[in-house]
Amino acid sequence: MDKLLIQGNQSLSGSVKISGAKNSVLPMLCASVMSSKGSVELENVPHLHDVTTTTRLLTQMGVRVTMDEFMKISLDANDIHNLYAPYDLVKTMRSSILVLGPLLTRFGEAKVSLPGGCAIGMRPVDMHLEALEKMGAEIKVESGYIHAKSKRLKGANIIFATKSVTGTENIIMAATLADGTTKIENAANEPEIIDLCEFLKKMGAKISGHGTDTVEIEGVASLCGASHNPLPDRIEAGTFMVAAAITRGDIEINNIIPAHSQAVIDKLTEAGADITSMNNSVRVKMNKRPSAINIETNAYPHFPTDMQAQITALNTLAKGESFVKENIFENRFMHIQELQRMGAKITVKENIAHITGKDKLYGAPVMATDLRASASLILAGLAAEGITEIGRVYHIDRGYDCIEEKLQLIGARISRKPM
Ligand code: EPU
């Protein structure tokens, strides 16, 4: 397994271009199975392991997938013959559950492995399954697999107990081909969900209210191919904003929608960063030690859980004491013991981490445990004295496009050591 080596204590400056959003592209790839007329084309697809795993999953179902040198992916779902998502592929990537709604609504049948627990928490899919049952599906869970069957799904009123991003996406997709109207209350309203809905509308779906708590979908008889350019990745953008703040650097982050990162921009401003937002970019400058900031994660537009680990890393070097409260996932503090190996002073009680900022962190061998935990270790390593060696970097490759190349271009001394 490869390792990342970082020679820290280097201020980063320059500009970086943000890639397409992982969490927009993955549901769109899954939505492609619903087109019975023509190919789906996605442009500006990030070069990520999760994208490769999803295209492998679709290919084994019979989707014809082609990709050009500009990362434009074309998916033709005319000859799907296998309505099955095997454990081997689903276990590495929980978003594979997003093939369930599309397969079931188009073909009346699907067998999808249960994703199981993961490093950041249990992450059940009970709300996905209950909603599909309410739409008329017969669902059995046997030997680790979800077996779902139905004649044409029926529109229904779904009230989610908790906001769920992929839950909302799965039911929106299932409802596009259902008979009648589906209303989802307490729907999640992340920008990636709006992006998915805009894409589904291009495929012929009838959706309104996306981006609010109540989404309505009027089922149509069939969907067709469409072209779409997914949103830029607001979590990749936020990670580079923290890179500027933690290394006391000056980075222009291009190809983004600043409004989607407002919660992160507000917190970094509170930490003392000088941030200028333009139409499609943000410049983050930090010329002093950051001040400690308290954060609490919550559904969009509140502070994203996917930026919690990165801000925790920033707070370890900030002036003063802070708390970080994780409200979405019950076990998303795996990066903390690794940050402690680098000298961070953090204590955790239940879902709250209390951090006392230190003057310095020191490079150490550390282990990436999940995607955003890896990002926080890279950030800590960039600011630390000495060399940080990060193991299990496959986690970072799941969700950050060319991370070391992008960091090298703005002055980071980071390299990959093949094992
Ligand atoms: N939940 C349930 N039952 C369900 C579904 C969710 O109890 O049936 C709970 C979860 O356990 C969690 C909460 O609801 O406590 C919210 O989870 P959600 O379903 O929103 O998470 P997700 O859809 O599995 C997506 C992103 C995650 C991101 C979360 C929260 C994708 C592919 N994944 O996950 O992204 O952290 O929303 O914003 O969109 C990442 O990119 O690193 C990542 C983990």
Side-chain angles (χ1 to χ4, degrees), residues 22-23 26 94-95 98 120 122-128 162-167 169 190 305-306 328-330 332 371-372:
K22 167 178 85 76
N23 291 345
L26 298 179
R94 293 185 49 85
S95 62
L98 287 170
I120 63 176
M122 282 305 296
R123 303 179 77 184
V125 291
D126 53 323
M127 296 192 324
H128 302 229
T162 320
K163 282 189 188 291
S164 165
V165 174
T166 50
E169 291 169 343
E190 269 64 8
T305 175
D306 292 342
I328 306 290
F329 293 113
E330 67 275 17
R332 212 174 195 182
L371 172 57
R372 309 303 171 187

mmCIF file of all heavy atoms in Angstrom, residues 22-23 26 94-95 98 120 122-128 162-167 169 190 305-306 328-330 332 371-372, ligand 1:
data_model
loop_
_atom_site.group_PDB
_atom_site.id
_atom_site.type_symbol
_atom_site.label_atom_id
_atom_site.label_comp_id
_atom_site.label_asym_id
_atom_site.label_seq_id
_atom_site.Cartn_x
_atom_site.Cartn_y
_atom_site.Cartn_z
ATOM 1 N N LYS A 22 -17.451 14.777 -6.135
ATOM 2 C CA LYS A 22 -17.649 13.322 -5.965
ATOM 3 C C LYS A 22 -19.113 13.005 -5.662
ATOM 4 O O LYS A 22 -19.704 12.114 -6.266
ATOM 5 C CB LYS A 22 -16.746 12.823 -4.827
ATOM 6 C CG LYS A 22 -17.078 11.430 -4.346
ATOM 7 C CD LYS A 22 -16.133 10.945 -3.265
ATOM 8 C CE LYS A 22 -16.481 11.353 -1.848
ATOM 9 N NZ LYS A 22 -17.604 10.611 -1.225
ATOM 10 N N ASN A 23 -19.683 13.745 -4.705
ATOM 11 C CA ASN A 23 -21.020 13.374 -4.250
ATOM 12 C C ASN A 23 -22.143 13.846 -5.174
ATOM 13 O O ASN A 23 -23.311 13.587 -4.918
ATOM 14 C CB ASN A 23 -21.234 13.834 -2.796
ATOM 15 C CG ASN A 23 -20.359 13.022 -1.840
ATOM 16 O OD1 ASN A 23 -19.833 11.968 -2.211
ATOM 17 N ND2 ASN A 23 -20.196 13.513 -0.621
ATOM 18 N N LEU A 26 -21.316 10.567 -8.247
ATOM 19 C CA LEU A 26 -21.666 9.173 -7.924
ATOM 20 C C LEU A 26 -23.159 8.889 -8.098
ATOM 21 O O LEU A 26 -23.518 7.919 -8.774
ATOM 22 C CB LEU A 26 -21.167 8.791 -6.516
ATOM 23 C CG LEU A 26 -19.641 8.857 -6.324
ATOM 24 C CD1 LEU A 26 -19.259 8.490 -4.890
ATOM 25 C CD2 LEU A 26 -18.905 7.944 -7.307
ATOM 26 N N ARG A 94 -20.045 2.929 0.061
ATOM 27 C CA ARG A 94 -21.431 2.872 0.518
ATOM 28 C C ARG A 94 -22.412 3.476 -0.480
ATOM 29 O O ARG A 94 -23.580 3.115 -0.508
ATOM 30 C CB ARG A 94 -21.562 3.589 1.848
ATOM 31 C CG ARG A 94 -20.835 2.904 2.968
ATOM 32 C CD ARG A 94 -21.140 3.614 4.246
ATOM 33 N NE ARG A 94 -22.569 3.819 4.374
ATOM 34 C CZ ARG A 94 -23.423 2.946 4.861
ATOM 35 N NH1 ARG A 94 -22.987 1.791 5.288
ATOM 36 N NH2 ARG A 94 -24.710 3.220 4.922
ATOM 37 N N SER A 95 -21.929 4.410 -1.308
ATOM 38 C CA SER A 95 -22.871 5.064 -2.219
ATOM 39 C C SER A 95 -23.427 4.094 -3.267
ATOM 40 O O SER A 95 -24.358 4.432 -3.992
ATOM 41 C CB SER A 95 -22.219 6.262 -2.911
ATOM 42 O OG SER A 95 -21.153 5.814 -3.674
ATOM 43 N N LEU A 98 -27.021 3.510 -4.024
ATOM 44 C CA LEU A 98 -27.779 4.379 -4.936
ATOM 45 C C LEU A 98 -28.182 3.696 -6.240
ATOM 46 O O LEU A 98 -28.876 4.305 -7.057
ATOM 47 C CB LEU A 98 -26.960 5.644 -5.243
ATOM 48 C CG LEU A 98 -26.881 6.641 -4.087
ATOM 49 C CD1 LEU A 98 -25.871 7.731 -4.392
ATOM 50 C CD2 LEU A 98 -28.249 7.244 -3.801
ATOM 51 N N ILE A 120 -16.774 5.487 9.904
ATOM 52 C CA ILE A 120 -17.300 6.698 10.554
ATOM 53 C C ILE A 120 -18.616 6.459 11.300
ATOM 54 O O ILE A 120 -19.143 7.353 11.937
ATOM 55 C CB ILE A 120 -17.435 7.884 9.567
ATOM 56 C CG1 ILE A 120 -18.433 7.584 8.453
ATOM 57 C CG2 ILE A 120 -16.084 8.266 9.015
ATOM 58 C CD1 ILE A 120 -18.654 8.771 7.510
ATOM 59 N N MET A 122 -22.316 3.524 11.894
ATOM 60 C CA MET A 122 -23.120 2.386 11.417
ATOM 61 C C MET A 122 -23.713 2.649 10.029
ATOM 62 O O MET A 122 -23.788 1.776 9.193
ATOM 63 C CB MET A 122 -24.282 2.128 12.390
ATOM 64 C CG MET A 122 -23.861 1.402 13.651
ATOM 65 S SD MET A 122 -23.021 -0.149 13.287
ATOM 66 C CE MET A 122 -24.336 -1.067 12.506
ATOM 67 N N ARG A 123 -24.182 3.851 9.829
ATOM 68 C CA ARG A 123 -24.768 4.278 8.560
ATOM 69 C C ARG A 123 -25.805 3.287 8.017
ATOM 70 O O ARG A 123 -25.604 2.701 6.936
ATOM 71 C CB ARG A 123 -23.660 4.571 7.535
ATOM 72 C CG ARG A 123 -22.691 5.614 8.048
ATOM 73 C CD ARG A 123 -21.598 5.899 7.075
ATOM 74 N NE ARG A 123 -22.020 6.748 5.986
ATOM 75 C CZ ARG A 123 -21.248 7.068 4.960
ATOM 76 N NH1 ARG A 123 -20.029 6.613 4.903
ATOM 77 N NH2 ARG A 123 -21.696 7.852 4.000
ATOM 78 N N PRO A 124 -26.903 3.094 8.734
ATOM 79 C CA PRO A 124 -27.931 2.172 8.243
ATOM 80 C C PRO A 124 -28.618 2.700 6.983
ATOM 81 O O PRO A 124 -28.469 3.874 6.639
ATOM 82 C CB PRO A 124 -28.931 2.105 9.403
ATOM 83 C CG PRO A 124 -28.726 3.363 10.169
ATOM 84 C CD PRO A 124 -27.292 3.775 9.970
ATOM 85 N N VAL A 125 -29.383 1.821 6.322
ATOM 86 C CA VAL A 125 -30.146 2.252 5.134
ATOM 87 C C VAL A 125 -31.639 1.996 5.344
ATOM 88 O O VAL A 125 -32.396 1.862 4.400
ATOM 89 C CB VAL A 125 -29.637 1.581 3.829
ATOM 90 C CG1 VAL A 125 -28.275 2.087 3.448
ATOM 91 C CG2 VAL A 125 -29.636 0.057 3.945
ATOM 92 N N ASP A 126 -32.044 1.915 6.615
ATOM 93 C CA ASP A 126 -33.446 1.601 6.933
ATOM 94 C C ASP A 126 -34.434 2.588 6.299
ATOM 95 O O ASP A 126 -35.497 2.195 5.818
ATOM 96 C CB ASP A 126 -33.640 1.564 8.463
ATOM 97 C CG ASP A 126 -33.146 2.830 9.161
ATOM 98 O OD1 ASP A 126 -32.117 3.378 8.724
ATOM 99 O OD2 ASP A 126 -33.795 3.279 10.122
ATOM 100 N N MET A 127 -34.055 3.866 6.261
ATOM 101 C CA MET A 127 -34.997 4.858 5.717
ATOM 102 C C MET A 127 -35.174 4.692 4.206
ATOM 103 O O MET A 127 -36.262 4.910 3.675
ATOM 104 C CB MET A 127 -34.529 6.279 6.047
ATOM 105 C CG MET A 127 -34.517 6.528 7.549
ATOM 106 S SD MET A 127 -34.306 8.238 8.063
ATOM 107 C CE MET A 127 -33.198 8.936 6.906
ATOM 108 N N HIS A 128 -34.105 4.276 3.514
ATOM 109 C CA HIS A 128 -34.219 4.009 2.066
ATOM 110 C C HIS A 128 -35.256 2.888 1.868
ATOM 111 O O HIS A 128 -36.129 2.963 1.016
ATOM 112 C CB HIS A 128 -32.903 3.506 1.459
ATOM 113 C CG HIS A 128 -31.714 4.403 1.625
ATOM 114 N ND1 HIS A 128 -30.903 4.741 0.564
ATOM 115 C CD2 HIS A 128 -31.143 5.013 2.683
ATOM 116 C CE1 HIS A 128 -29.903 5.503 0.986
ATOM 117 N NE2 HIS A 128 -30.033 5.671 2.275
ATOM 118 N N THR A 162 -34.955 11.557 9.718
ATOM 119 C CA THR A 162 -33.717 12.345 9.765
ATOM 120 C C THR A 162 -33.403 12.737 8.330
ATOM 121 O O THR A 162 -33.745 12.008 7.407
ATOM 122 C CB THR A 162 -32.516 11.456 10.195
ATOM 123 O OG1 THR A 162 -32.943 10.582 11.215
ATOM 124 C CG2 THR A 162 -31.328 12.249 10.628
ATOM 125 N N LYS A 163 -32.707 13.854 8.180
ATOM 126 C CA LYS A 163 -32.295 14.221 6.817
ATOM 127 C C LYS A 163 -31.199 13.263 6.367
ATOM 128 O O LYS A 163 -30.220 13.082 7.073
ATOM 129 C CB LYS A 163 -31.754 15.646 6.797
ATOM 130 C CG LYS A 163 -32.850 16.693 6.831
ATOM 131 C CD LYS A 163 -32.264 18.072 6.591
ATOM 132 C CE LYS A 163 -33.299 19.160 6.802
ATOM 133 N NZ LYS A 163 -34.359 19.197 5.816
ATOM 134 N N SER A 164 -31.387 12.662 5.212
ATOM 135 C CA SER A 164 -30.376 11.742 4.676
ATOM 136 C C SER A 164 -30.087 12.120 3.227
ATOM 137 O O SER A 164 -31.006 12.203 2.401
ATOM 138 C CB SER A 164 -30.892 10.304 4.740
ATOM 139 O OG SER A 164 -30.094 9.476 3.917
ATOM 140 N N VAL A 165 -28.812 12.314 2.919
ATOM 141 C CA VAL A 165 -28.431 12.730 1.566
ATOM 142 C C VAL A 165 -28.722 11.613 0.562
ATOM 143 O O VAL A 165 -29.526 11.782 -0.363
ATOM 144 C CB VAL A 165 -26.932 13.136 1.525
ATOM 145 C CG1 VAL A 165 -26.486 13.419 0.099
ATOM 146 C CG2 VAL A 165 -26.694 14.351 2.412
ATOM 147 N N THR A 166 -28.116 10.447 0.759
ATOM 148 C CA THR A 166 -28.339 9.376 -0.225
ATOM 149 C C THR A 166 -29.760 8.817 -0.116
ATOM 150 O O THR A 166 -30.311 8.334 -1.102
ATOM 151 C CB THR A 166 -27.296 8.246 -0.106
ATOM 152 O OG1 THR A 166 -27.217 7.841 1.255
ATOM 153 C CG2 THR A 166 -25.932 8.680 -0.575
ATOM 154 N N GLY A 167 -30.358 8.891 1.081
ATOM 155 C CA GLY A 167 -31.758 8.457 1.226
ATOM 156 C C GLY A 167 -32.654 9.310 0.337
ATOM 157 O O GLY A 167 -33.480 8.797 -0.433
ATOM 158 N N GLU A 169 -31.743 11.041 -2.251
ATOM 159 C CA GLU A 169 -31.404 10.812 -3.666
ATOM 160 C C GLU A 169 -32.013 9.509 -4.186
ATOM 161 O O GLU A 169 -32.570 9.460 -5.295
ATOM 162 C CB GLU A 169 -29.878 10.789 -3.826
ATOM 163 C CG GLU A 169 -29.258 12.164 -3.589
ATOM 164 C CD GLU A 169 -27.737 12.161 -3.464
ATOM 165 O OE1 GLU A 169 -27.136 11.091 -3.233
ATOM 166 O OE2 GLU A 169 -27.146 13.244 -3.582
ATOM 167 N N GLU A 190 -28.756 19.356 0.257
ATOM 168 C CA GLU A 190 -27.362 19.653 -0.120
ATOM 169 C C GLU A 190 -27.315 20.058 -1.603
ATOM 170 O O GLU A 190 -28.130 19.583 -2.408
ATOM 171 C CB GLU A 190 -26.510 18.386 0.079
ATOM 172 C CG GLU A 190 -25.852 18.220 1.442
ATOM 173 C CD GLU A 190 -26.806 18.071 2.610
ATOM 174 O OE1 GLU A 190 -28.015 17.938 2.371
ATOM 175 O OE2 GLU A 190 -26.347 18.108 3.756
ATOM 176 N N THR A 305 -20.270 17.946 7.950
ATOM 177 C CA THR A 305 -19.484 16.899 8.625
ATOM 178 C C THR A 305 -18.239 16.534 7.808
ATOM 179 O O THR A 305 -17.205 16.171 8.367
ATOM 180 C CB THR A 305 -20.346 15.636 8.889
ATOM 181 O OG1 THR A 305 -19.507 14.618 9.425
ATOM 182 C CG2 THR A 305 -21.040 15.122 7.639
ATOM 183 N N ASP A 306 -18.325 16.675 6.478
ATOM 184 C CA ASP A 306 -17.184 16.306 5.632
ATOM 185 C C ASP A 306 -16.013 17.289 5.749
ATOM 186 O O ASP A 306 -14.959 17.068 5.146
ATOM 187 C CB ASP A 306 -17.621 16.173 4.164
ATOM 188 C CG ASP A 306 -18.544 14.989 3.952
ATOM 189 O OD1 ASP A 306 -18.577 14.100 4.816
ATOM 190 O OD2 ASP A 306 -19.249 14.957 2.923
ATOM 191 N N ILE A 328 -23.554 14.374 13.016
ATOM 192 C CA ILE A 328 -24.111 13.525 11.953
ATOM 193 C C ILE A 328 -23.722 12.058 12.134
ATOM 194 O O ILE A 328 -24.568 11.175 12.071
ATOM 195 C CB ILE A 328 -23.655 14.013 10.550
ATOM 196 C CG1 ILE A 328 -23.975 15.493 10.346
ATOM 197 C CG2 ILE A 328 -24.271 13.150 9.440
ATOM 198 C CD1 ILE A 328 -25.444 15.842 10.212
ATOM 199 N N PHE A 329 -22.445 11.800 12.329
ATOM 200 C CA PHE A 329 -21.993 10.405 12.434
ATOM 201 C C PHE A 329 -21.449 10.133 13.836
ATOM 202 O O PHE A 329 -20.788 10.989 14.427
ATOM 203 C CB PHE A 329 -20.927 10.104 11.376
ATOM 204 C CG PHE A 329 -21.483 10.149 9.976
ATOM 205 C CD1 PHE A 329 -21.076 11.132 9.082
ATOM 206 C CD2 PHE A 329 -22.434 9.235 9.558
ATOM 207 C CE1 PHE A 329 -21.599 11.189 7.799
ATOM 208 C CE2 PHE A 329 -22.965 9.277 8.274
ATOM 209 C CZ PHE A 329 -22.550 10.257 7.392
ATOM 210 N N GLU A 330 -21.688 8.913 14.350
ATOM 211 C CA GLU A 330 -21.360 8.641 15.757
ATOM 212 C C GLU A 330 -19.887 8.286 15.977
ATOM 213 O O GLU A 330 -19.427 8.216 17.094
ATOM 214 C CB GLU A 330 -22.283 7.551 16.318
ATOM 215 C CG GLU A 330 -22.134 6.152 15.749
ATOM 216 C CD GLU A 330 -22.944 5.931 14.460
ATOM 217 O OE1 GLU A 330 -23.366 6.919 13.818
ATOM 218 O OE2 GLU A 330 -23.123 4.758 14.083
ATOM 219 N N ARG A 332 -16.949 9.709 14.054
ATOM 220 C CA ARG A 332 -16.134 10.374 13.036
ATOM 221 C C ARG A 332 -14.963 11.132 13.659
ATOM 222 O O ARG A 332 -14.623 12.232 13.245
ATOM 223 C CB ARG A 332 -16.993 11.308 12.187
ATOM 224 C CG ARG A 332 -16.441 11.370 10.779
ATOM 225 C CD ARG A 332 -17.268 12.132 9.801
ATOM 226 N NE ARG A 332 -16.807 11.794 8.462
ATOM 227 C CZ ARG A 332 -17.279 12.297 7.352
ATOM 228 N NH1 ARG A 332 -18.247 13.185 7.386
ATOM 229 N NH2 ARG A 332 -16.796 11.951 6.179
ATOM 230 N N LEU A 371 -11.804 8.775 4.401
ATOM 231 C CA LEU A 371 -11.465 9.815 3.421
ATOM 232 C C LEU A 371 -11.124 11.175 4.049
ATOM 233 O O LEU A 371 -10.063 11.743 3.800
ATOM 234 C CB LEU A 371 -12.652 9.943 2.459
ATOM 235 C CG LEU A 371 -12.635 11.068 1.455
ATOM 236 C CD1 LEU A 371 -11.384 10.989 0.597
ATOM 237 C CD2 LEU A 371 -13.887 10.993 0.586
ATOM 238 N N ARG A 372 -12.034 11.703 4.854
ATOM 239 C CA ARG A 372 -11.795 13.063 5.386
ATOM 240 C C ARG A 372 -10.755 13.050 6.504
ATOM 241 O O ARG A 372 -10.069 14.051 6.719
ATOM 242 C CB ARG A 372 -13.102 13.701 5.842
ATOM 243 C CG ARG A 372 -14.222 13.657 4.796
ATOM 244 C CD ARG A 372 -13.853 14.315 3.472
ATOM 245 N NE ARG A 372 -14.879 14.044 2.447
ATOM 246 C CZ ARG A 372 -14.773 14.362 1.181
ATOM 247 N NH1 ARG A 372 -13.672 14.936 0.706
ATOM 248 N NH2 ARG A 372 -15.737 14.089 0.322
HETATM 249 N N1 EPU B 1 -29.267 7.478 8.490
HETATM 250 C C1 EPU B 1 -30.101 6.547 9.079
HETATM 251 N N2 EPU B 1 -30.851 5.731 8.254
HETATM 252 C C2 EPU B 1 -30.791 5.807 6.900
HETATM 253 C C3 EPU B 1 -29.927 6.766 6.300
HETATM 254 C C4 EPU B 1 -29.182 7.589 7.128
HETATM 255 O O1 EPU B 1 -30.171 6.444 10.308
HETATM 256 O O2 EPU B 1 -31.485 5.036 6.231
HETATM 257 C C5 EPU B 1 -28.452 8.375 9.350
HETATM 258 C C6 EPU B 1 -26.939 8.151 9.192
HETATM 259 O O3 EPU B 1 -26.476 7.083 9.959
HETATM 260 C C7 EPU B 1 -26.386 9.485 9.644
HETATM 261 C C8 EPU B 1 -27.449 10.470 9.136
HETATM 262 O O4 EPU B 1 -28.631 9.698 8.909
HETATM 263 O O5 EPU B 1 -26.319 9.537 11.032
HETATM 264 C C9 EPU B 1 -27.096 11.223 7.880
HETATM 265 O O6 EPU B 1 -26.507 10.346 6.935
HETATM 266 P P1 EPU B 1 -26.742 10.469 5.362
HETATM 267 O O7 EPU B 1 -27.680 9.400 4.941
HETATM 268 O O8 EPU B 1 -27.085 11.870 5.028
HETATM 269 O O9 EPU B 1 -25.299 10.124 4.829
HETATM 270 P P2 EPU B 1 -24.996 9.434 3.448
HETATM 271 O O10 EPU B 1 -26.055 9.776 2.498
HETATM 272 O O11 EPU B 1 -24.677 8.000 3.668
HETATM 273 C C10 EPU B 1 -23.666 11.398 2.337
HETATM 274 C C11 EPU B 1 -22.298 11.608 1.755
HETATM 275 C C12 EPU B 1 -21.284 11.592 2.882
HETATM 276 C C13 EPU B 1 -21.625 12.733 3.851
HETATM 277 C C14 EPU B 1 -23.071 12.559 4.358
HETATM 278 C C15 EPU B 1 -23.536 13.707 5.241
HETATM 279 C C16 EPU B 1 -22.482 10.699 -0.462
HETATM 280 C C17 EPU B 1 -22.117 9.630 -1.429
HETATM 281 N N3 EPU B 1 -22.035 10.560 0.779
HETATM 282 O O12 EPU B 1 -23.648 10.144 3.020
HETATM 283 O O13 EPU B 1 -20.020 11.857 2.289
HETATM 284 O O14 EPU B 1 -20.752 12.712 4.942
HETATM 285 O O15 EPU B 1 -23.979 12.461 3.243
HETATM 286 O O16 EPU B 1 -23.439 14.911 4.578
HETATM 287 O O17 EPU B 1 -23.144 11.651 -0.818
HETATM 288 C C18 EPU B 1 -17.664 11.852 2.191
HETATM 289 O O18 EPU B 1 -17.767 12.393 1.068
HETATM 290 O O19 EPU B 1 -16.575 11.752 2.811
HETATM 291 C C19 EPU B 1 -18.875 11.321 2.815
HETATM 292 C C20 EPU B 1 -18.838 10.438 3.831
#
